[in-house]
Amino acid sequence: RGVKLMSLGYVSPNSGVPGSGPAGGPAVMRGPMAGKVVAQLLKGTDWGDLDVLLLDLPPGTGDVQLEVCQSLRLSGAVCVTTPSKLAVTDAIKGVEMFAALGVPTVATVQNMSYFDCEGGSRHYPFGKGILDEAEADSTSSLRSVGINPSSIVQLPISSLTNDANDAGEPLCVQRPAKGHEELDSFWGLAKIVSQELLLSQYGKSSMGQTSKGSDGAFSDAVVTFEGSAGQHFDVASLYMSVDSDSDSFAVRLFCDAGAWQGKIDGEVLRSTDPKTGERLPDNDKSMDVVHPEVACGSSNGFGDGMVQHHEAGKKKARLFPASVEKKGIYGYAVEWADGATIIYSMLSIAKAAGGKQVDEDKWSVEEAP
């Protein structure tokens, strides 16, 4: 009630939704097309004034998620999973992908976690799932992938919630007398998310991390350059073009007082971590992408299989001619002559150009290794 909503079902001629077209079948489309549809719904809707915009994304780490992360500056993500080990494993991969694209996970929801029987006992029919990780003294491993153990919310198996969904009236609107446990869970989730959104406005989070450029993947970091008279440049202003004749890239950044321009040698950029901007070890400098078309996320996943390293002594890869394509606010995709396509964050490019990251809270400078 009073919540603005947009869905593909409202505009698809085959959705069967009253007013949109005749009764039809499913919306069948390839991954890239699905990403474009999401972008059109986001940018082509007159949302008016909003406090918060929530996006209900499909499962996985595919084109839809990548399109959203590259097109919008997201404040955070809420991970939703079930207790099964396979579901938890997939959910963690999603958390890692969002973290790599500069989006922190502010809460983790575990559906169908438990039920309370008439005898008063609590049962976990599908196991405790991600809670097993937290209870097994592995909270540090959860934090390492971006999950805060204190921000895990359990939703019970509930006929009340199911009936409310079937009736098309959310449980939080119905507020049944016997639904206090379910309502408390939703209230806890809302409290966690609102707290994290508030902290993020000040570059903080409940995990004790800053949310501005702390992991090298955020697009609102600030850098300075030697000889720039102390001027600070927002990496979101970065523009990069390729100069294949000189095997380099031209980089420009802007601020209120002026601009900075420089070049990055192709070998230097290829030797740069595409997320953090740190220089890769010598034996990793010939990094290659196994599946160029799925770098930084696709329907085939984002994870350990993305990168391979050439063996020592292997012939150096030919890098030019190369091409670049801007990827929203996140960074640039570089297609190298050897067939590898790597997406570099804005901050990694700025650091490769000699930039030093500025800690805006302390006004100190973090030098690139």
Side-chain angles (χ1 to χ4, degrees):
R1 297 176 183 177
V3 176
K4 300 175 182 178
L5 179 67
M6 172 53 72
S7 171
L8 177 62
Y10 295 162
V11 296
S12 172
N14 297 317
S15 67
V17 175
S20 67
V28 180
M29 61 186 73
R30 294 184 181 274
M33 180 60 68
K36 292 179 181 179
V37 168
V38 171
Q40 184 176 2
L41 291 176
L42 281 170
K43 300 174 182 179
T45 301
D46 183 7
W47 294 104
D49 295 330
L50 297 176
D51 296 316
V52 178
L53 178 62
L54 294 175
L55 307 178
D56 184 11
L57 301 180
T61 54
D63 294 277
V64 172
Q65 288 82 356
L66 187 60
E67 175 70 29
V68 169
C69 289
Q70 292 173 351
S71 301
L72 300 176
R73 184 170 295 181
L74 300 178
S75 300
V78 176
C79 171
V80 181
T81 183
T82 59
S84 72
K85 291 184 178 180
L86 183 59
V88 170
T89 300
D90 285 343
I92 290 176
K93 289 182 179 180
V95 170
E96 291 174 331
M97 189 206 80
F98 273 90
L101 294 174
V103 181
T105 297
V106 300
T108 303
V109 178
Q110 186 164 272
N111 276 331
M112 300 189 296
S113 290
Y114 63 89
F115 70 91
D116 294 329
C117 68
E118 294 179 354
S121 299
R122 177 160 295 185
H123 303 273
Y124 298 87
F126 307 111
K128 292 187 177 181
I130 203 167
L131 294 179
D132 280 337
E133 298 286 336
E135 293 176 359
D137 195 26
S138 57
T139 55
S140 59
S141 63
L142 288 179
R143 288 180 179 271
S144 67
V145 299
I147 296 177
N148 186 351
S150 64
S151 296
I152 299 174
V153 177
Q154 299 182 79
L155 295 182
I157 299 173
S158 169
S159 60
L160 292 175
T161 303
N162 183 70
D163 292 343
N165 291 339
D166 290 344
E169 188 174 18
L171 191 72
C172 296
V173 175
Q174 288 187 356
R175 308 193 71 81
K178 295 182 179 180
H180 61 88
E181 186 173 354
E182 293 85 347
L183 292 172
D184 286 345
S185 296
F186 283 113
W187 168 248
L189 174 61
K191 185 176 180 180
I192 290 171
V193 172
S194 60
Q195 173 181 300
E196 291 296 334
L197 292 180
L198 176 62
L199 289 174
S200 69
Q201 297 181 44
Y202 300 94
K204 306 294 182 182
S205 79
S206 63
M207 294 181 69
Q209 302 170 343
T210 59
S211 61
K212 287 189 176 183
S214 59
D215 67 351
F218 289 76
S219 58
D220 55 359
V222 175
V223 296
T224 187
F225 294 88
E226 184 176 351
S228 63
Q231 294 177 350
H232 292 173
F233 301 89
D234 189 333
V235 298
S237 70
L238 186 145
Y239 173 81
M240 183 172 74
S241 59
V242 63
D243 184 356
S244 293
D245 293 334
S246 63
D247 291 354
S248 64
F249 300 87
V251 176
R252 300 180 182 88
L253 291 96
F254 303 88
C255 67
D256 293 339
W260 180 92
Q261 178 172 316
K263 282 194 173 184
I264 307 175
D265 182 84
E267 289 285 349
V268 172
L269 185 61
R270 189 59 179 266
S271 303
T272 299
D273 185 294
K275 176 185 173 185
T276 65
E278 298 178 356
R279 294 297 296 273
L280 296 170
D282 289 340
N283 62 336
D284 289 347
K285 287 185 178 180
S286 296
M287 183 177 71
D288 197 1
V289 176
V290 178
H291 303 292
E293 72 278 6
V294 300
C296 279
S298 81
S299 57
N300 290 330
F302 177 95
D304 298 337
M306 189 186 74
V307 173
Q308 70 176 14
H309 305 291
H310 292 274
E311 297 177 359
K314 192 170 183 178
K315 184 178 179 181
K316 186 166 63 176
R318 179 169 172 264
L319 302 181
F320 288 87
S323 61
V324 298
E325 179 185 0
K326 190 173 182 182
K327 291 295 182 179
I329 65 172
Y330 178 75
Y332 282 83
V334 178
E335 183 178 353
W336 301 94
D338 62 358
T341 298
I342 303 174
I343 300 178
Y344 295 88
S345 69
M346 294 292 196
L347 181 58
S348 70
I349 297 171
K351 283 188 172 182
K356 300 174 182 178
Q357 187 176 356
V358 177
D359 186 334
E360 292 183 275
D361 294 329
K362 300 179 181 179
W363 291 106
S364 62
V365 174
E366 174 191 338
E367 297 188 11

